[in-house]
Structure formats: structure tokens, C-alpha cells
């Protein structure tokens, strides 16, 4: 037991959780904590908007596999975090958000900058806490980190009334945490594993779908080993991109509304579908009634509430993806004889060739699929790619091959424009020696562009590639396809000039009008130690293809 | 898929942490997931730091399974079970204020109350408050009977339930 203030205890507890960096913005209700941070050996990165602080913590978490931490003051600081917290929740990213709050006697009195952040974030956090006395702080911090980073990962919020930061108490940093209502299940049930193995042995056309859970549980090598043993092709969800190297012969690419031909067709044709760490989101399944119509589904997820939520599997397995894949593999090799699957696998290669055809640049100007392929050629394999939301994101998902887990970071569940750039900053903090590139749309980048300031100030040289079509491209695509080209509220009027914008922040601004110019620009950026924005003007008439119109069968792919 | 979609009334018993914010997180989850709750009751359970909630919900098996799983997912929810109606004692309490303008009405109301094994718990000049416990059907039947007399106010507790015999829904 040591006597200290709540603020000191918070920082001490964070250090004990191995926190190296906090993304945040100070304000009145969190000042005592910032005073302690002033000479603590935790790096505080001053962001320029709390939303960016939350996204940066999220990007940091996804790139490193460690809990990301963001901090804000009460009221508007806290509400600015909300989008970032919701984003982390939808994508199961381990983030701890710390907010200041008005002093305890003022709570409920509508005091200056009071907001009910605990109430607001209840449905978008795994769990949240409001500190009631300083002495609780060490235990609450440990509990928060434990919950965020175990089971199905997710954000946890700690709300600290200002007076609990000042209050002194005897602090116990070793108090046991007991959570009667939280006991994540990691080990798969042997009986379920047995059933899954039986099904996989009999399968003629097995397909695996890997989601973000595979990456979160570091189960990628287990996934690939199992796929190679079964000779089962692997599709991924957006969140699962990177779970299998996308140059692997069994990789089908992404599945769903903007899935590849290979992924969508193979999944629909499967007789056994092994779904791991994914949640059958509508973007992945298309019309749920016609999803994988003749397949028996094995669903592995650590969150039992995901099982049976959208799709009723034949074999449910509640477990950690890594443990379940290992268990299946270990049982399988005892009795499995490799099957002859040349017809099935030839079909994979044939469908994949169709996809490669779509990458070829034809006509004038820069075509996004070709641009993605070019980016891949230039970047080293370990480079981290983040994306914004919209066409840019889907082009990256479809045409930019990813070879390693945690090198593709995108807002999957919430689809948050403005996520990619601050997430890139967070990823750069986690992996300073690796190039980090945000594939952006002009509309999205404007939403969080102000953090060019923090990126430059903190010497976190990320690269932003703006696919500048001067429209809210994905919305325009829907209007073109489904609303008779009535382009309502999507014209961005070529504002701003992104080169000048970058320069205004002390970043490097480059423009590329052709693939050759782009090659030069990206290489220049990679060799530079300052944040670089590459403006790439493209046509505003491009569609991201393939596309399955909403609510339709995954096979109904529009290819042109 | 193509499951049978039979709608039934299900009773769910949950042991939850007895602390601020728990009821909010549970009711908020029901609202957000679009689960329609027929009745909900909460009160202290065997230990003072635990509360027991009894939730009745109408839906098919898949829905109820989701309700249970979503409840279990909440960190402050410790244990959840679906109660089998055949082996469950379920009771509700209602307080009903009935107009009794004259002696004849008053004695009718008192007679009915006795038949239903209720109690008159408050007597005023022109009204009575009746306390009645039982299953939902019994309470509904009594309310129907009282309607012609003129019901002024009703307060119902929602259903509280426990499994019969040695079965239990409690902390191990
Ligand atoms: C914060 C937010 N607001 C609105 C949307 C709806 N939305 C989805 S895609 C999109 C257009 C994105 O435009 P841009 O960033 O320029 O990317 P593009 O599609 O042109 O590549 C919009 C407005 C969203 N996803 N997120």
C-alpha cells in the first residue's frame, strides 16, 4: 500500500499495464492527470481532435496487438471520442479510453462540461467504469485492461471525476480482480471439434472464411496450415484481410458485397464452410437466405452471442480461434487422407485469373485497381496499409494484396470516414520502422486532415495517398447505379488543393497525374522523413467492381 | 435455416451484480437489439451484492437464445437461465385502486377480492386498494372483473419466478 493521489495512481497503474503511449487532448476535468503526465515516462501524443486520439489508439492496437490508450477531458472532449470508441467496438479492437469528469458533487447537476459519457458509451464499450473513490483506481485500471484484451477484444472506458484525481488514498496495485460475470471461454469443446473434423474429412468442396478474430488471436499460421492440409481455399472478410498471404494459391481474397469473383463463387459452392472469427455481417453474406446454400457451416467464435445471431451453424464452436484451429488440425491429421481436389482447385485458379484481368490499366488516366497493384509493387511486404472509407477502401481491399497479418487496418464494422489517417499515425507509433500508408478518398481525408499537425509535430511520417475523384465516390457510385445518376450532395468541387494543404502543415505535398509520376512520388515519400500527402487525381466516374447489389445473392456480381 | 418459428412466452431468470448502472445496461441492450420485453422485475437476491431479474419475453427459440447470449455477454450479468414453465413458480403482485361510490359496490368488490384470495390494503371514502398476487392470467382476470366498477390506478410488479424443487439459478 502506498499513499498517493488518484492521478498518480492512474499513471502508475498504466505503467504497470506496460502503457508506453497515450493519444489525447487535455482539458479542465483531466488536468490533475496531465500534471502527472508532465514528467512521467509515458509518451503523450497531443492530437488535434479527440476522434483522432481514439482512432490512433485503435490503429496502434491493431498494428501491435497491444491495448491502445486515448484520453480526453469531460463533456465535448469525451463526446468527441465517441465515434472512435464505437469504431473500436464494432471491430473488436482493444482500446482503453480515459475521460475526465466533473467533480463528484457536481455530477447530475448539469455542471460546466458535464456529460453522461458512461451512459453514452454503454452500448459501444465492452464495459465502462466511473471512479467513485481514488482508492478504486488501480483495480479499475487493471480490470479495464484485462477486459479490453481478453475474450473478444473491445474498448473499455474509465471516467474519472476530477476530485478523484486529486484525492489521496492508500493504493493497492496488487488487489485481485474478480469478475463473476466475465469468464471468456478459450478452449473448444472436444465433442464439437470431433464433429467438425468428421465434417471436414467428408467434405468434397471445403472453403474457409477467416475474419478479424483470426488476426486478433494470432492464429494465422494455424489457419494456413489447416487450409493447406485440407486443400481448402480461404476467403477473408474485410477484417480478416491479411490472415492468409494473398499471394498464396489457396487465397481467394475478400468475400461479400465487394468480394472477388473467386471468393464469392467458391463460398456459394462450398459443401462445408469453416467460418472462423467472423460474424456473418450483411456486407459479407449478401442475401442471408441464399448464403452458402448447400453448405454445412462450422462456426468458430470466441463470442457465443455471435453464434446463431445471423446464421445458424451446423456445428457451433465457442473458442479462441487459435485454440480451435489447433484442435481441429491435431485431430484431423490423425485420420485424414489428402483428397484429390484438382477440379475444385483448378476452378479457384480460373476464377482468380478473372480477377487479375480487372487490374489491367486501360484507357487514359490512373485506374484505381492498377494504382493499387503499383502501390503493392513499391511497398515492402511489411508495410502497413490503412484505408479510409468508400471506394478507396474497397479498391484497396480488392486489389492491394496483403501478405502479413496486422498490415491492413480498415474501419470494417462502422465504416468511419476519417479513420485511416489517425489510425496510420497510431500504427506508425507502434511500428516506427515500417512504412505506413493511408489509402484515402478526398472526402474521408478532409474529416481528420487536421491531424497532419500532430503527424508532423511528432515526426510520425506517414504517407497519405488521396484518390482524388472530387466526389463522395462510393455514394456517387450508388447514385449512378441505383438512383438514376441523380448526384445529390456528393460534389466536392476539387477543394482543397491537397498539395498546398499538406504544405500548410509543414508536410510534403506531391501530385501524380500518371502511374509513372505516382511511382516517383511514392518512392520520394518512402525516402523522406516527413509526412507526405500524394494527391492522385482520378476520374469521378469510376465504379468499384465487382459489386453485389445490396440484399442479393453473392453470385450476382456486377463485373462491369 | 428454415427453422420453425413458433412464438411462445419465455421466462428468463438472471443473477446480476447489484450496483448502479446494471439495470440501465441491461434495458439499454434490450432496446438496442430490438428485443421486446413483456415484463421485467428486479430485486435483491440471496446475497446483498446480487440481484435477481425475471424477464418475460415473447418470441421464437432463436430469439430467446439470442436474448440469453446477449445477457450473458454483459459483464455485470453473472448467470442466466431459461425457466421451464412446467417447473417454475411464477408470481406477480398487483395493487389496484377501484372506485367504490356506494356500499353495494364496495361489498361486491370485497367479495370478488376474497374469491381471488386478495386483500384490501387501503380503504378510503370512495375507493379501495386491493392487493392481489398470482400468475399473470389470474391478475388479468381480476382486472377484467374490476373494470366495470371503474379502475383508477394499477401498479403491477412484473413477474418474479423461481424453478421448483432443488433446481436453482444461483451463484455456485
Ligand atoms: C463519417 C461518415 N460519414 C458518412 C459516411 C457515408 N459514406 C460512405 S462512403 C462515403 C464517401 C466517401 O468519399 P471519399 O472519402 O471521397 O471516398 P471515395 O468513395 O470517393 O473513394 C460516404 C459519405 C461514412 N461512411 N462515414
Amino acid at each position: 500500500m502506498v499513499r498517493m493521489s488518484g492521478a498518480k495512481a492512474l499513471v502508475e497503474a498504466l505503467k504497470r499495464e506496460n502503457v508506453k503511449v497515450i493519444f489525447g487532448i487535455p482539458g479542465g476535468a483531466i488536468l490533475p492527470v496531465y500534471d502527472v503526465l508532465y514528467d512521467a515516462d509515458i509518451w503523450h501524443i497531443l492530437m488535434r481532435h479527440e476522434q483522432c486520439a481514439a482512432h490512433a489508439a485503435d490503429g496502434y492496437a491493431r498494428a501491435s496487438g497491444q491495448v491502445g490508450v486515448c484520453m480526453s477531458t469531460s463533456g465535448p472532449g469525451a463526446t468527441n471520442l465517441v465515434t472512435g470508441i464505437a469504431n473500436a467496438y464494432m471491430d473488436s479492437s482493444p482500446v482503453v479510453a480515459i475521460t475526465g469528469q466533473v467533480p463528484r458533487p457536481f455530477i447530475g447537476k448539469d455542471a460546466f462540461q458535464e456529460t453522461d459519457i458512461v451512459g453514452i458509451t454503454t452500448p459501444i464499450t465492452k464495459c465502462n467504469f466511473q471512479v467513485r473513490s481514488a482508492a478504486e483506481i488501480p483495480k479499475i485500471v487493471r480490470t479495464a485492461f484485462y477486459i479490453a484484451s481478453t475474450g473478444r477484444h473491445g474498448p473499455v472506458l474509465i471516467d474519472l471525476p476530477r476530485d478523484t484525481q486529486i484525492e489521496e488514498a492508500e493504493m493497492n496495485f496488487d488487489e485481485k480482480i474478480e469478475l463473476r460475470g466475465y469468464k471468456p471461454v478459450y478452449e473448444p469443446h472436444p465433442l464439437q471439434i470431433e464433429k467438425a473434423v468428421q465434417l471436414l474429412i467428408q467434405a468434397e468442396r471445403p472453403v474457409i472464411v477467416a475474419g478479424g478474430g483470426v488476426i486478433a488471436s494470432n492464429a494465422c499460421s494455424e489457419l494456413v496450415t489447416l487450409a493447406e492440409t485440407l486443400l481448402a481455399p480461404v476467403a477473408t472478410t474485410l477484417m480478416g484481410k491479411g490472415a492468409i498471404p494473398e499471394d498464396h494459391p489457396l487465397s481467394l481474397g475478400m468475400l461479400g458485397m465487394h468480394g472477388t469473383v473467386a471468393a464469392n463463387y467458391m463460398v456459394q459452392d462450398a459443401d462445408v464452410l469453416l467460418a472462423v472469427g467472423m460474424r456473418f455481417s450483411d456486407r459479407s453474406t449478401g442475401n442471408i437466405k441464399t448464403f452458402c446454400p448447400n453448405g454445412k457451416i462450422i462456426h468458430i467464435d470466441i463470442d457465443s452471442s455471435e453464434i446463431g445471431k445471423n446464421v445458424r451453424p451446423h456445428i457451433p464452436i465457442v473458442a479462441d480461434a487459435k485454440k480451435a484451429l489447433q484442435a481441429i488440425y491435431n485431430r484431423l491429421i490423425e485420420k485424414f487422407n489428402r483428397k484429390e481436389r484438382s477440379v475444385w482447385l483448378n476452378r479457384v485458379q480460373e476464377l482468380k485469373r478473372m480477377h487479375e484481368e480487372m487490374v489491367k490499366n486501360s484507357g487514359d488516366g490512373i485506374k484505381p485497381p492498377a494504382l493499387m497493384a503499383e502501390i503493392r509493387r513499391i511497398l515492402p511486404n511489411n508495410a502497413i496499409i490503412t484505408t479510409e472509407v468508400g471506394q478507396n477502401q474497397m479498391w484497396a481491399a480488392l486489389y492491394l494484396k496483403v501478405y502479413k497479418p496486422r498490415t491492413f487496418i480498415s474501419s470494417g464494422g462502422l465504416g468511419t470516414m476519417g479513420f485511416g489517417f489517425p489510425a496510420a499515425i497510431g500504427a506508425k507509433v507502434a511500428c516506427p520502422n515500417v512504412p505506413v500508408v493511408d489509402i484515402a478518398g478526398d472526402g474521408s481525408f478532409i474529416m481528420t486532415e487536421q491531424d497532419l499537425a500532430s503527424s508532423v509535430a511528432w515526426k510520425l511520417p506517414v504517407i497519405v495517398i488521396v484518390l482524388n475523384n472530387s466526389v463522395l465516390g462510393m455514394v456517387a457510385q450508388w447514385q449512378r447505379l441505383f438512383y438514376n445518376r441523380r448526384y445529390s450532395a456528393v460534389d466536392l468541387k476539387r477543394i482543397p488543393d491537397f498539395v498546398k494543404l499538406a504544405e500548410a502543415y509543414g508536410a510534403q505535398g506531391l501530385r501524380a497525374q500518371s502511374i509513372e509520376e505516382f511511382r516517383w512520388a511514392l518512392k520520394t515519400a518512402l525516402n523522406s522523413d516527413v509526412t507526405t500527402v500524394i494527391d492522385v487525381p482520378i476520374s469521378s466516374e469510376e465504379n468499384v467492381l465487382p459489386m453485389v447489389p445490396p440484399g442479393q445473392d453473392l453470385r450476382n456480381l456486377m463485373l462491369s | 435455416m428454415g427453422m420453425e418459428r413458433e412464438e411462445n412466452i419465455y421466462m428468463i431468470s438472471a443473477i446480476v451484480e447489484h450496483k448502479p448502472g446494471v439495470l440501465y445496461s441491461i434495458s439499454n441492450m434490450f432496446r438496442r437489439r430490438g428485443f421486446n420485453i413483456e415484463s421485467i422485475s428486479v430485486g435483491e437476491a440471496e446475497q446483498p451484492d446480487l440481484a435477481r431479474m425475471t424477464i418475460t419475453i415473447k418470441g421464437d427459440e432463436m430469439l430467446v437464445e439470442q436474448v440469453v447470449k446477449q445477457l450473458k455477454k454483459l459483464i455485470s450479468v453473472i448467470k442466466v437461465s431459461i425457466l421451464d414453465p412446467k417447473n417454475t413458480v411464477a408470481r406477480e403482485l398487483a395493487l389496484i385502486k377501484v372506485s367504490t361510490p356506494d356500499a353495494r359496490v364496495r361489498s361486491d368488490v370485497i367479495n370478488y377480492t376474497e374469491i381471488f384470495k386478495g386483500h384490501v390494503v387501503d380503504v378510503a371514502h370512495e375507493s379501495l386498494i386491493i392487493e392481489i398476487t398470482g400468475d399473470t392470467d389470474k391478475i388479468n382476470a381480476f382486472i377484467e372483473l374490476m373494470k366495470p366498477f371503474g379502475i383508477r390506478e394499477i401498479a403491477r410488479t412484473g413477474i418474479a419466478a423461481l424453478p421448483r424443487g432443488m433446481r436453482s439459478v444461483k451463484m455456485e
Side-chain angles (χ1 to χ4, degrees):
Chain A
M1 296 282 243
V2 251
R3 195 167 178 82
M4 61 173 85
S5 71
K8 280 220 170 84
L10 175 81
V11 173
E12 177 59 28
L14 292 176
K15 276 199 249 170
R16 284 169 187 249
E17 295 301 328
N18 220 356
V19 173
K20 300 275 186 300
V21 58
I22 298 172
F23 302 90
I25 300 184
I30 191 84
L31 268 177
V33 172
Y34 272 84
D35 189 58
V36 177
L37 284 176
Y38 187 69
D39 43 20
D41 46 4
I42 291 184
W43 186 18
H44 179 275
I45 298 188
L46 173 63
M47 302 297 285
R48 300 302 195 263
H49 191 299
E50 290 86 353
Q51 183 187 345
C52 290
H55 288 329
D58 187 344
Y60 175 90
R62 296 192 206 197
S64 67
Q66 309 295 311
V67 176
V69 182
C70 57
M71 192 178 277
S72 79
T73 190
S74 64
T79 52
N80 271 353
L81 287 177
V82 167
T83 301
I85 295 172
N87 190 78
Y89 187 68
M90 286 294 266
D91 288 347
S92 309
S93 184
V95 169
V96 168
I98 299 165
T99 50
Q101 181 56 280
V102 300
R104 283 166 295 181
F106 290 87
I107 290 177
K109 308 290 198 296
D110 302 316
F112 177 63
Q113 293 195 328
E114 181 187 3
T115 195
D116 176 17
I117 198 62
V118 167
I120 290 170
T121 58
T122 293
I124 53 166
T125 50
K126 253 183 107 169
C127 170
N128 57 24
F129 302 89
Q130 186 169 66
V131 171
R132 282 168 303 175
S133 71
E136 296 180 343
I137 290 174
K139 188 173 174 186
I140 287 182
V141 171
R142 281 183 61 201
T143 310
F145 276 75
Y146 174 69
I147 292 176
S149 60
T150 52
R152 179 179 181 174
H153 301 170
V156 177
L157 179 133
I158 305 173
D159 197 31
L160 288 163
R162 189 173 193 273
D163 55 335
T164 66
Q165 301 165 36
I166 298 164
E167 183 180 64
E168 295 211 344
E170 295 295 326
M171 302 293 175
N172 178 358
F173 291 94
D174 304 308
E175 202 180 334
K176 247 189 91 205
I177 53 176
E178 8 111 18
L179 289 163
R180 294 179 291 190
Y182 181 68
K183 307 230 155 40
V185 174
Y186 293 100
E187 297 294 338
H189 197 294
L191 216 74
Q192 297 301 95
I193 293 292
E194 201 52 47
K195 286 191 208 156
V197 168
Q198 281 309 327
L199 205 56
L200 288 167
I201 286 175
Q202 287 155 15
E204 294 295 329
R205 301 185 308 280
V207 174
I208 299 175
V209 180
V214 175
I215 295 172
S217 90
N218 298 318
C220 301
S221 64
E222 286 78 5
L223 174 86
V224 174
T225 308
L226 184 63
E228 287 171 350
T229 310
L230 285 167
L231 289 177
V234 180
T236 70
T237 64
L238 181 75
M239 293 300 298
K241 193 172 163 77
I244 180 169
E246 292 188 295
D247 55 354
H248 192 289
L250 290 170
S251 163
L252 299 171
M254 184 174 72
L255 149 96
M257 175 178 275
H258 287 289
T260 65
V261 187
N264 282 16
Y265 275 55
M266 297 309 279
V267 164
Q268 290 301 76
D269 286 349
D271 67 346
V272 174
L273 191 77
L274 176 62
V276 199
M278 57 84 80
R279 58 185 174 85
F280 297 98
S281 110
D282 51 290
R283 284 295 188 270
S284 298
T285 62
N287 182 351
I288 194 96
K289 295 207 178 71
T290 67
F291 177 74
C292 191
N294 306 311
K296 292 213 160 83
I297 296 176
I298 304 166
H299 188 188
I300 303 171
D301 204 288
I302 195 154
D303 178 355
S304 75
S305 74
E306 286 302 344
I307 290 175
K309 186 182 79 182
N310 294 342
V311 161
R312 199 147 251 239
H314 295 79
I315 302 174
I317 301 177
V318 179
D320 171 57
K322 193 184 187 88
K323 294 225 149 91
L325 289 173
Q326 279 169 345
I328 290 178
Y329 177 77
N330 289 340
R331 270 313 270 143
L332 189 82
I333 48 163
E334 287 171 18
K335 39 186 160 178
F336 185 64
N337 296 317
R338 228 167 223 265
K339 292 229 169 134
E340 221 289 303
R341 292 206 215 283
S342 54
V343 177
W344 175 239
L345 293 177
N346 283 341
R347 181 147 164 78
V348 172
Q349 299 316 320
E350 185 189 312
L351 292 171
K352 280 171 78 169
R353 271 195 296 278
M354 279 175 74
H355 188 67
E356 298 305 326
E357 283 300 307
M358 304 189 68
V359 180
K360 296 207 173 118
N361 215 3
S362 55
D364 301 340
I366 296 179
K367 298 284 178 208
L371 183 72
M372 294 302 139
E374 194 58 38
I375 295 171
R376 182 73 278 173
R377 268 192 289 276
I378 298 170
L379 291 181
N381 281 3
N382 63 350
I384 295 174
I385 291 124
T386 70
T387 78
E388 299 298 341
V389 167
Q391 292 182 311
N392 58 86
Q393 177 186 35
M394 289 300 118
W395 277 317
L398 277 164
Y399 299 107
L400 204 159
K401 290 202 165 74
V402 165
Y403 304 129
K404 289 174 185 301
R406 302 191 185 281
T407 62
F408 183 81
I409 296 174
S410 190
S411 169
L414 198 64
T416 313
M417 291 170 71
F419 168 77
F421 176 52
I425 294 176
K428 188 73 187 175
V429 173
C431 307
N433 301 318
V434 165
V436 181
V437 177
D438 173 33
I439 309 263
D442 44 341
S444 296
F445 184 47
I446 295 170
M447 291 204 180
T448 48
E449 139 276 298
Q450 80 287 331
D451 268 274
L452 279 168
S454 51
S455 163
V456 171
W458 293 102
K459 301 205 167 23
L460 298 166
V462 301
I463 300 170
V464 183
I465 300 173
V466 183
L467 276 68
N468 188 350
N469 52 10
S470 194
V471 282
L472 296 171
M474 186 58 96
V475 179
Q477 171 166 344
W478 282 54
Q479 291 170 339
R480 187 153 52 242
L481 297 174
F482 312 121
Y483 290 88
N484 218 359
R485 292 182 176 266
R486 287 158 57 83
Y487 293 122
S488 178
V490 290
D491 187 358
L492 298 174
K493 306 215 182 285
R494 296 247 166 246
I495 301 171
D497 178 328
F498 284 102
V499 173
K500 286 190 184 149
L501 178 85
E503 286 168 358
Y505 283 105
Q508 175 173 228
L510 303 171
R511 183 164 289 124
Q513 311 267 12
S514 66
I515 288 280
E516 290 69 37
E517 283 180 23
F518 177 76
R519 213 171 281 145
W520 166 82
L522 183 53
K523 284 180 183 161
T524 306
L526 284 169
N527 289 324
S528 147
D529 52 10
V530 61
T531 295
T532 304
V533 178
I534 308 177
D535 182 44
V536 186
I538 59 168
S539 158
S540 56
E541 293 282 315
E542 297 288 343
N543 287 329
V544 182
L545 297 170
M547 177 177 192
V548 180
Q552 291 199 21
D553 185 296
L554 284 184
R555 277 202 206 81
N556 293 351
L557 280 166
M558 296 163 50
L559 293 173
S560 58
Chain B
M1 253 166 279
M3 289 278 137
E4 68 288 5
R5 296 240 159 194
E6 207 184 319
E7 295 242 321
N8 271 315
I9 296 273
Y10 290 86
M11 261 179 288
I12 295 169
S13 184
I15 297 288
V16 306
E17 307 256 7
H18 195 6
K19 61 178 192 198
V22 174
L23 187 58
Y24 170 71
S25 69
I26 292 171
S27 56
N28 203 34
M29 182 279 285
F30 286 148
R31 176 197 55 77
R32 127 157 166 72
R33 301 260 173 206
F35 298 150
N36 274 319
I37 301 304
E38 302 263 313
S39 132
I40 194 163
S41 72
V42 204
E44 202 171 281
E46 304 84 56
Q47 300 166 27
D49 58 343
L50 297 179
R52 180 183 301 274
M53 287 182 100
T54 310
I55 299 147
T56 35
I57 183 163
K58 193 185 203 165
D60 59 16
E61 228 182 288
M62 223 168 136
L63 176 95
V64 175
E65 188 188 306
Q66 258 303 300
V67 171
V68 169
K69 284 177 167 177
Q70 293 295 346
L71 275 169
K72 284 186 175 162
K73 186 167 164 173
L74 298 174
I75 307 237
S76 46
V77 174
I78 297 167
K79 192 156 188 204
V80 187
S81 315
I82 300 176
L83 298 173
D84 169 9
K86 289 194 285 298
N87 287 308
T88 299
V89 179
R91 291 288 182 276
E92 192 178 354
L93 182 146
L95 294 174
I96 303 158
K97 191 184 283 176
V98 189
S99 301
T100 49
D102 56 50
R104 200 186 52 79
V105 172
R106 183 176 298 244
S107 83
D108 278 359
V109 169
I110 292 172
N111 278 339
Y112 282 129
T113 302
E114 276 166 8
I115 296 169
F116 274 76
K117 299 197 167 58
H119 303 281
V120 175
V121 289
D122 182 66
V123 183
H125 277 306
E126 302 216 317
S127 67
L128 294 174
I129 297 180
I130 294 147
E131 173 202 304
I132 178 161
T133 55
D135 59 22
T136 305
D137 287 347
K138 174 179 162 187
I139 291 176
N140 288 344
F142 186 75
I143 289 171
E144 281 307 312
L145 267 178
M146 288 300 111
K147 270 186 188 161
F149 300 114
I151 294 176
R152 295 218 182 143
E153 282 175 288
I154 299 181
R156 296 174 72 154
T157 58
I159 295 167
L162 283 179
R164 289 182 193 277
M166 288 307 285
R167 270 174 289 254
S168 66
V169 183
K170 64 192 267 194
M171 286 279 305
E172 274 90 51

